[in-house]
Amino acid sequence: MRVVVTGGAGFIGQHVVAETLRRGHDVLVLDSLREDVHGQHGCPPSGARLHLGDVRQTYDLDAALPGADVVVHLAAKVGLGVDVSDLPDYASNNDLGTAELLAAMARHRLNRLVLASSMVVYGEGLGRCAEHGPVRGRPRSEYDLAQGQFEPECVRCGAQLSPSLVDEEAPSDPRNAYAASKLAQEHYATSWARETGGSAALLRYHNVYGPGMPQGTPYAGVASIFTSALRDGKAPRVFEDGGQRRDFVHVRDIAAATVTAAERHTGGARAFNVGTGVPRTVGEMAASLAHALHGPTPVVTGDYRLGDVRHITANSARILDELGWMAREDFDKGMAELAGLGQTVSAPAVAAR
């Protein structure tokens, strides 16, 4: 199988490419190697061909796509964004980039897509109210956050909600620029699949960590930020009260899920949560990293970001039932690995002609 991986030189992309090659497939990477994303180290693993180009450019797509069997679309601007001035860049890279890719796939009669989406499309997700059962939490106000009132409240009665797992049928509620752009990508892909008869696996990745995570860029995840602080001898600074629940999933598990979807999903547009199914708090992750690095105890700051959600953990049963994938990496071993490994996956790729 010939696979085109957009964004294959990035953190997740390198692992996806390595797993695709390990399974014996032919890989071409389309990546712009943006310096603000990759620094000076972005490169897909050895054995993949590289086409240096941009998914927003027709001539790059027309050079990369012919002969492909499936496209894995990872290229995107990530992170929450700093303020509304970031909106055009998210719209350009994520929305326009995906639209151009899908139009090019239609031109070249390619009908199989795997899209890297995100759990951020759910927003706060669903919680459980003692009186009203499963309900959506109302958006947290800056006043409440400043007062240290972090838990979401029932939209009907205002009572504090207990967090619960969400499945793929939960309503979407994007609460920042990145989340809005990921949901837009899903809508574009669903429309493309309906109009062309193609298949689109919409993989809603949870909080990804592992070797090769970017550091010192706007795209670094919280695990990378904590690791950088600990390596500098500083205590990780944990926002809110550290009780935010997430599903931390190792990048090798993400790569395996992505390649499995590329191999097995063939029927229409379908969303899949990709996580371990085991909620952990941000405070627990910081403590695990501090232990692995023999560093100072994390400091809970009470600081907050208005665009963050309190809890988002999802049920990943669908991808197991339909595609046969489940997470296998151990959390504490993964955190220790993240603390001890460097930033590359393997040697440079061969440039495509």
Side-chain angles (χ1 to χ4, degrees):
M1 184 169 71
R2 183 167 184 239
V3 184
V4 171
V5 182
T6 74
F11 162 49
I12 294 175
Q14 292 188 39
H15 289 272
V16 168
V17 170
E19 177 66 12
T20 308
L21 291 169
R22 189 189 69 80
R23 298 193 190 188
H25 303 301
D26 178 51
V27 182
L28 184 142
V29 169
L30 173 60
D31 202 298
S32 64
L33 299 183
R34 277 180 58 157
E35 189 168 346
D36 61 336
V37 177
H38 302 288
Q40 298 181 1
H41 304 291
C43 199
S46 179
R49 290 170 294 147
L50 171 64
H51 181 90
L52 184 61
D54 194 313
V55 292
R56 295 169 293 183
Q57 300 296 333
T58 299
Y59 50 83
D60 287 321
L61 292 165
D62 287 343
L65 294 182
D69 297 299
V70 61
V71 176
V72 175
H73 184 33
L74 303 173
K77 177 180 173 69
V78 300
L80 294 180
V82 177
D83 54 42
V84 293
S85 66
D86 289 324
L87 288 172
D89 203 22
Y90 280 102
S92 176
N93 284 278
N94 299 0
D95 300 19
L96 177 61
T98 300
E100 290 285 2
L101 172 65
L102 294 171
M105 289 179 66
R107 287 197 305 274
H108 292 278
R109 302 182 185 279
L110 299 179
N111 63 2
R112 297 185 60 217
L113 173 73
V114 178
L115 172 69
S117 186
S118 171
M119 51 78 188
V120 296
V121 302
Y122 297 118
E124 192 66 57
L126 295 177
R128 178 167 290 276
C129 174
E131 181 178 354
H132 298 108
V135 296
R136 178 172 299 286
R138 61 189 180 195
R140 301 186 298 169
S141 71
E142 186 156 14
Y143 175 82
D144 287 343
L145 293 171
Q147 299 300 310
Q149 299 174 13
F150 300 124
E151 293 296 338
E153 298 175 341
C154 177
V155 293
R156 298 179 63 183
C157 69
Q160 182 174 305
L161 299 178
S162 299
S164 60
L165 300 181
V166 297
D167 62 25
E168 292 86 352
E169 302 308 314
S172 56
D173 185 21
R175 297 191 177 186
N176 55 62
Y178 174 62
S181 71
K182 298 310 286 185
L183 185 59
Q185 286 184 311
E186 289 195 11
H187 288 323
Y188 285 129
T190 300
S191 175
W192 164 85
R194 185 181 300 115
E195 293 186 24
T196 65
S199 68
L202 315 174
L203 302 185
R204 293 171 177 169
Y205 297 158
H206 282 253
N207 291 76
V208 187
Y209 73 94
M213 286 192 74
Q215 297 188 21
T217 79
Y219 304 91
V222 67
S224 180
I225 293 169
F226 289 165
T227 303
S228 294
L230 287 161
R231 286 175 177 162
D232 289 339
K234 301 175 183 177
R237 294 178 58 81
V238 180
F239 277 17
E240 300 186 17
D241 60 1
Q244 309 94 305
R245 287 162 51 108
R246 299 290 187 270
D247 188 339
F248 298 103
V249 57
H250 197 285
V251 69
R252 283 196 295 270
D253 281 329
I254 289 288
T258 303
V259 182
T260 297
E263 293 174 335
R264 298 181 182 177
H265 178 70
T266 57
R270 188 73 160 157
F272 297 95
N273 289 328
V274 184
T276 68
V278 181
R280 299 181 188 274
T281 69
V282 173
E284 287 174 335
M285 183 191 66
S288 182
L289 285 170
H291 176 77
L293 285 166
H294 307 288
T297 301
V299 174
V300 176
T301 67
D303 294 339
Y304 58 87
R305 295 187 301 183
L306 190 58
D308 281 345
V309 298
R310 177 64 174 176
H311 306 297
I312 180 63
T313 53
N315 185 338
S316 295
R318 176 184 287 181
I319 193 170
L320 172 62
D321 293 343
E322 298 186 14
L323 300 182
W325 174 88
M326 65 180 297
R328 300 187 181 279
E329 299 287 337
D330 178 80
F331 175 76
D332 289 319
K333 289 180 180 178
M335 286 291 141
E337 179 187 30
L338 174 64
L341 289 185
Q343 297 301 304
T344 58
V345 175
S346 66
V350 177
R353 294 182 181 273

